[in-house]
Amino acid sequence: MKSIIKIVGEDYIISSLPKSYQKIQPLKNRDTLPLVRINLELGVWQYLPSSLQTAGTMYLHQLLQDGPLVISTYSPDWNEYGERHLKLLNGIYPRIRALGGNLLVLTTEYFKNIVHTIQEHDLGFNIVQDYENRISEALGVYSKYEPVWDRIAGISEDVPFAATFVVNADRRIVYNYVDPDFEYVVSDKEIEKAVKIARLFG
């Protein structure tokens, strides 16, 4: 086994992986959300806990201050699948907020394009540019050894797999959904159920 140090923002995640590592390894239920630092300047923040509103950077888990956190990946290079995914997230977002939760979408888009996407789709949740897919890699849904473009016809850019996680206050994953074949977007009913569970156990 060879130890690999992956740099995420200014933090280090150390893992032991076989030399022939090629596949994504998404976080699973009961896994702990890794320490990941986010540059707030790379995102559009429509809802932040009050203690973070003047910060320049934060840790991903700090979004758990007010309740459960839903994290979902997105890329415009997912084409029609991406549009369906955004529509579903926008539809479920009011219910997430009503349950005391928050939603963060990680995107491959540059900041200036994020603003356009929010306006075009009338989105109400937080979106941040996942620079070089570093956060998605920490979540286990991006690997340069298993590129999406090598698996899915019609996708030619370096993007993460479609994934959604729900995290409780203890930083534990209580729900994970990964669609490696880009066939079915995540279920809004499953997200709502998971947020309720995260409130009870966390």
Side-chain angles (χ1 to χ4, degrees), residues 121-146:
H121 297 281
D122 194 24
L123 306 178
F125 45 76
N126 300 323
I127 305 182
V128 65
Q129 178 191 349
D130 185 8
Y131 183 67
E132 294 184 346
N133 293 298
R134 291 176 179 175
I135 305 173
S136 294
E137 184 177 12
L139 298 175
V141 294
Y142 168 83
S143 171
K144 65 181 181 180
Y145 300 106
E146 188 179 4

Side-chain angles (χ1 to χ4, degrees), residues 37-169:
R37 186 170 291 178
I38 295 177
N39 182 349
L40 292 175
E41 293 181 356
L42 295 179
V44 175
W45 306 95
Q46 303 194 63
Y47 178 80
L48 273 179
S50 56
S51 63
L52 298 174
Q53 291 179 4
T54 58
T57 63
M58 69 174 181
Y59 284 102
L60 188 55
H61 67 268
Q62 288 182 278
L63 289 172
L64 291 163
Q65 291 178 16
D66 295 342
L69 175 63
V70 180
I71 305 171
S72 196
T73 57
Y74 162 73
S75 175
D77 296 299
W78 293 351
N79 305 315
E80 183 183 337
Y81 183 100
E83 291 187 12
R84 287 190 289 133
H85 184 66
L86 279 185
K87 184 177 180 180
L88 181 137
L89 292 178
N90 211 28
I92 187 64
Y93 181 61
R95 281 179 276 167
I96 293 172
R97 292 293 304 129
L99 291 169
N102 204 349
L103 171 62
L104 175 64
V105 171
L106 312 173
T107 182
T108 57
E109 290 187 287
Y110 290 109
F111 177 80
K112 62 181 180 180
N113 294 330
I114 293 175
V115 175
H116 174 74
T117 296
I118 288 173
Q119 293 173 341
E120 180 182 2
H121 297 281
D122 194 24
L123 306 178
F125 45 76
N126 300 323
I127 305 182
V128 65
Q129 178 191 349
D130 185 8
Y131 183 67
E132 294 184 346
N133 293 298
R134 291 176 179 175
I135 305 173
S136 294
E137 184 177 12
L139 298 175
V141 294
Y142 168 83
S143 171
K144 65 181 181 180
Y145 300 106
E146 188 179 4
V148 173
W149 49 259
D150 194 40
R151 180 186 182 105
I152 306 297
I155 297 179
S156 58
E157 300 299 322
D158 207 19
V159 299
F161 283 88
T164 299
F165 302 90
V166 179
V167 190
N168 70 11

